[in-house]
Amino acid sequence: MQYQNSLEFAKAMDQQDPIAKIRDEFSIPKTADGKDEIYLCGNSLGLQPKLAAEYVKRELTQWAEQGVKGHFSGDFPWMPYHEFLAEGFSELVGAKKNEVVSMNTLTANLHFMMVSFYQPTDKRFKILIEDHAFPSDHYAVESQVKFHGYDPKDAMLLIKPREGEETIRKEDLIELIEKEGDSIALVMLPGVQYYTGQVFDMKAITYVAQNKGCMVGFDLAHAAGNIPMKLHDWNVDFACWCTYKYLNSGPGSVAGCFVHEKHHTNESLPRFAGWWGHDKMSRFKMENNFKPMESAEAWQLSNPPVLSLAAIRGSLDTIKNAGGINVLRDKAIKLSSYMRFLLETQLAGEVDILTPNNIDESGSQLSLAIKLNPNDSPELGKQIFDAIEQKGVIGDWRYPNVIRVAPVPLYNSFEDVYQFVRILTSEINSQRGVQ
Ligand SMILES: Cc1ncc(COP(=O)(O)O)c(C=O)c1O
């Protein structure tokens, strides 16, 4: 594709975009002067699908009009409400419907999964995670190894990029697993790295790690709704994701979880149980004799917050209306490639793109490191970020010098991408005194 740095070109791309209209299904925040924000922050908090608002309102009405009867009445009774999300989740992560469930929040699910899948022994007690993992994952792993009586210095195996590099090379990861695998109980890595946007080769990691006898789990916070996956076929043991980023289900919304069906009937797996994981046919007999469901639902603890599930259902339906994850991925590749083209032609030397420049290793997000000269204030990057925000560009800032931006195929346009790079270029030039 021959990209061009012009508004006409961006508009022409939008006109040819078969899913451009889906943007109208979202509420787009406005700037002070009433224009649509250039919202590139779907990697942090996705925008509100109109269907999410509609479905939440529907359940509020149901509650107002039906009270407790809402558990069993209407088209979407609350009792089995989580089941209405299984199809959407399963398509997004490449799972069978019985392998996915919505429950709890992401970090809580990581813990519950580690209760089942981190079973350290004297010889095999380590957890492999990234050195620069999202802090919540780091804390969760650290507290789990301590809970089992190990010293995190011995039991946490941290993989980091080579000196001077930003992303982890696949060959280094594979080599480490091959070398240390006999002592690793669990490999727990992201599907997409939160800081750099790097996509990990989940299939290869799972294959190599399981050959060494390790369990494999993924944190899909930045992968779910962003890239297509095949968790079942890849034989991943478990995965967890939040639903407020690319799944547009609202701040702190209920999370998703995948447990491979090969584990569903394994009675030797330890688990922290609750009544919602108990066989649904006999749940209300209240017999205190835990019989887990033979699905990922067995890991549920509580009856779930339906208002949050309703928002997820609205979001999943919106994704379905757009044609599903593969359609979104096609557009995402074009959007992020266009952004990369514009950045490389307009801002070479000013901005380093940390996200790998190859389709297999990148999703929607590009992580842009603002290059600082020796005489620059260390705050220059943040000043640039604040200045573009004043002009209606919403991304997010990560110290010391990174702006993360994610053009999201559901609601971002090629024109958003064009305007973002135009505004960023003009701000950087004005900071540098270039006319
Ligand atoms: C990669 C990753 N892991 C974990 C979390 C924590 O999520 P939660 O607060 O929903 O537990 C986040 C939140 O953004 C994240 O990006």
Side-chain angles (χ1 to χ4, degrees):
M1 164 80 69
Q2 284 289 313
Y3 291 119
Q4 292 170 28
N5 176 26
S6 75
L7 183 57
E8 294 68 39
F9 177 81
K11 286 188 166 177
M13 289 294 287
D14 285 327
Q15 262 164 13
Q16 290 162 27
D17 171 13
I19 59 166
K21 279 261 160 257
I22 288 286
R23 177 183 171 92
D24 300 339
E25 312 272 321
F26 285 83
S27 295
I28 313 280
K30 303 279 183 226
T31 59
D33 56 359
K35 295 195 187 115
D36 284 355
E37 281 180 353
I38 301 168
Y39 192 88
L40 298 171
C41 210
N43 56 301
S44 175
L45 182 73
L47 289 182
Q48 184 184 108
K50 291 178 181 165
L51 273 186
E54 184 188 320
Y55 290 0
V56 171
K57 277 189 206 129
R58 186 186 292 189
E59 297 319 320
L60 285 171
T61 306
Q62 177 81 339
W63 176 26
E65 293 177 355
Q66 299 287 322
V68 72
K69 294 196 292 290
H71 282 300
F72 301 101
S73 64
D75 294 339
F76 295 96
W78 303 329
M79 190 61 69
Y81 203 96
H82 68 276
E83 294 173 21
F84 306 131
L85 313 186
E87 184 172 332
F89 273 170
S90 66
E91 283 167 11
L92 287 175
V93 301
K96 295 189 174 180
K97 281 204 301 193
N98 65 347
E99 292 174 317
V100 290
V101 64
S102 44
M103 59 184 196
N104 314 313
T105 49
L106 171 53
T107 309
N109 285 341
L110 290 173
H111 274 296
F112 291 123
M113 289 296 107
M114 282 191 272
V115 166
S116 293
F117 298 107
Y118 175 52
Q119 290 306 314
T121 62
D122 285 352
K123 279 181 68 187
R124 190 187 282 281
F125 57 93
K126 294 181 187 164
I127 301 183
L128 170 63
I129 66 163
E130 308 158 84
D131 187 47
H132 195 40
F134 191 87
S136 206
D137 298 41
H138 187 100
Y139 305 147
V141 166
E142 191 173 44
S143 56
Q144 285 282 338
V145 302
K146 280 188 187 165
F147 178 74
H148 284 277
Y150 293 93
D151 183 338
K153 284 206 290 303
D154 305 324
M156 285 173 75
L157 184 60
L158 306 175
I159 171 107
K160 54 174 131 182
R162 291 185 190 183
E163 195 66 35
E165 297 186 6
E166 294 288 345
T167 52
I168 293 169
R169 293 196 197 189
K170 178 170 146 186
E171 64 266 28
D172 291 355
L173 188 49
I174 300 293
E175 195 186 307
L176 184 65
I177 297 172
E178 298 274 15
K179 188 163 147 245
E180 301 275 346
D182 294 339
S183 66
I184 299 174
L186 172 65
V187 172
M188 205 176 89
L189 292 166
V192 176
Q193 216 280 344
Y194 81 97
Y195 183 73
T196 63
Q198 178 185 16
V199 175
F200 282 76
D201 186 340
M202 290 175 258
K203 181 180 178 185
I205 292 166
T206 307
Y207 181 78
V208 175
Q210 287 177 343
N211 269 347
K212 295 296 284 185
C214 321
M215 288 285 180
V216 182
F218 289 102
D219 175 340
L220 303 179
H222 293 261
N226 180 7
I227 54 166
M229 288 169 277
K230 290 190 164 51
L231 298 185
H232 175 85
D233 292 351
W234 298 339
N235 205 29
V236 170
D237 292 291
F238 71 87
C240 308
W241 58 93
C242 55
T243 57
Y244 42 78
K245 299 178 186 294
Y246 298 95
L247 294 182
N248 310 309
S249 301
S253 179
V254 172
C257 192
F258 162 91
V259 181
H260 199 283
E261 70 177 354
K262 68 188 173 180
H263 298 300
H264 293 178
T265 52
N266 179 354
E267 286 177 13
S268 68
L269 273 185
R271 142 167 55 216
F272 284 174
W275 74 317
W276 228 250
H278 180 90
D279 167 41
K280 64 183 172 187
M281 303 314 287
S282 59
R283 186 184 292 145
F284 283 89
K285 289 190 177 157
M286 311 306 231
E287 286 174 343
N288 288 354
N289 183 12
F290 185 69
K291 180 176 168 217
M293 277 188 266
E294 293 187 0
S295 65
E297 293 163 291
W299 277 264
Q300 294 176 112
L301 303 181
S302 305
N303 78 105
V306 166
L307 296 181
S308 180
L309 297 189
I312 303 176
R313 196 169 73 76
S315 171
L316 293 174
D317 278 1
T318 307
I319 292 173
K320 193 171 177 184
N321 293 344
I325 186 67
N326 291 318
V327 172
L328 297 184
R329 175 68 173 154
D330 279 352
K331 178 172 169 188
I333 290 172
K334 292 188 187 121
L335 282 173
S336 60
S337 304
Y338 185 44
M339 186 183 281
R340 191 181 278 279
F341 162 83
L342 292 173
L343 290 165
E344 285 174 354
T345 51
Q346 304 309 300
L347 285 170
E350 297 288 357
V351 163
D352 266 342
I353 305 176
L354 306 184
T355 315
N357 185 11
N358 105 47
I359 295 304
D360 293 336
E361 280 191 291
S362 60
S364 286
Q365 175 185 324
L366 292 187
S367 301
L368 315 179
I370 305 293
K371 282 197 182 174
L372 298 181
N373 298 329
N375 297 333
D376 286 337
S377 148
E379 289 298 314
L380 180 72
K382 180 70 167 66
Q383 286 159 6
I384 292 169
F385 175 77
D386 291 341
I388 63 172
E389 192 168 288
Q390 287 297 314
K391 301 217 159 130
V393 173
I394 310 299
D396 75 3
W397 172 254
R398 285 286 174 268
Y399 274 103
N401 65 334
V402 169
I403 298 176
R404 299 185 305 174
V405 278
V408 167
L410 282 166
Y411 48 76
N412 283 124
S413 60
F414 290 86
E415 185 173 342
D416 282 342
V417 170
Y418 171 82
Q419 296 294 8
F420 159 64
V421 178
R422 184 185 64 75
I423 292 167
L424 182 65
T425 307
S426 128
E427 275 316 314
I428 291 180
N429 285 345
S430 87
Q431 294 283 344
R432 299 256 179 249
V434 178
Q435 293 307 309

